[in-house]
Amino acid sequence: IGGRNTIGLFGEVNGATIKNFTLKNSYFFVSSNNNVKTYTGSVVGVLNGTLNTVKSDNTVFVEIENTTAEYNGGMVGRATNGTIQNCWFAGKLSGNGTRQGGILGGLSTSGDTCLIENCLVTGTFNAPQHIGGIIGTVWTGTSLTLNNSLFAGTIEKYKGNAPTSTGTVIGD
């Protein structure tokens, strides 16, 4: 859609509230090319709405080699105008792509906004760069509010090397 791929249980959410469920034992295989951005989240690819009281348990993201899929979030790939509250990611993000976050892959375009509140990440990350325990990337001109959220997961080496631009809260 508009030069991008959105992948998740819900590809894009526009103005809706998704709440009160657990996504269990899911597997996402992400493939992209250099000309198309990919926004992947276990629940929502691109969020313009609310995600409330949702758990993603035993979710696994794996990318095909030689791709550069971006904005992989445990819960949401990209938020354009999102609210993410009371959510928990307990899965694994793995692969060659960048901008990975336990709750949100990132805010990618000037004007994107997101509130993340009371969220927990106990997942595992294995990627080369821009890995954040809560959010992968926050660009200039975007707006993020983060309250009472915790990363208690693991960031692993990628192909034997420590990832670059890595943080327990925000990667880049």
Side-chain angles (χ1 to χ4, degrees), residues 4-20:
R4 67 181 185 213
N5 293 324
T6 56
I7 301 165
L9 182 61
F10 300 93
E12 292 197 38
V13 170
N14 192 3
T17 297
I18 298 169
K19 63 182 181 176
N20 301 326

Side-chain angles (χ1 to χ4, degrees), residues 118-156:
N118 302 322
C119 292
L120 173 64
V121 176
T122 58
T124 301
F125 302 88
N126 182 326
Q129 61 185 345
H130 309 299
I131 302 169
I134 307 291
I135 305 119
T137 297
V138 179
W139 287 96
T140 301
T142 64
S143 177
L144 170 69
T145 303
L146 179 63
N147 295 319
N148 302 318
S149 296
L150 174 67
F151 171 70
T154 305
I155 297 174
E156 299 175 337

Side-chain angles (χ1 to χ4, degrees), residues 28-87:
F28 293 85
F29 179 76
V30 182
S31 174
S32 180
N33 64 48
N34 291 329
N35 299 321
V36 179
K37 284 188 179 179
T38 303
Y39 302 102
T40 304
S42 65
V43 181
V44 180
V46 175
L47 178 66
N48 177 13
T50 301
L51 194 63
N52 193 327
T53 315
V54 176
K55 179 181 180 187
S56 185
D57 190 14
N58 293 323
T59 299
V60 178
F61 293 92
V62 177
E63 291 179 55
I64 190 168
E65 290 296 320
N66 302 318
T67 66
T68 55
E70 295 183 300
Y71 300 98
N72 300 315
M75 304 300 286
V76 175
R78 173 186 173 203
T80 57
N81 185 13
T83 299
I84 304 169
Q85 297 172 307
N86 309 311
C87 292

Side-chain angles (χ1 to χ4, degrees), residues 93-98 100 125-129 131 156-158 163-164:
L93 289 135
S94 177
N96 191 43
T98 63
Q100 293 188 6
F125 302 88
N126 182 326
Q129 61 185 345
I131 302 169
E156 299 175 337
K157 289 184 176 183
Y158 180 75
T164 60

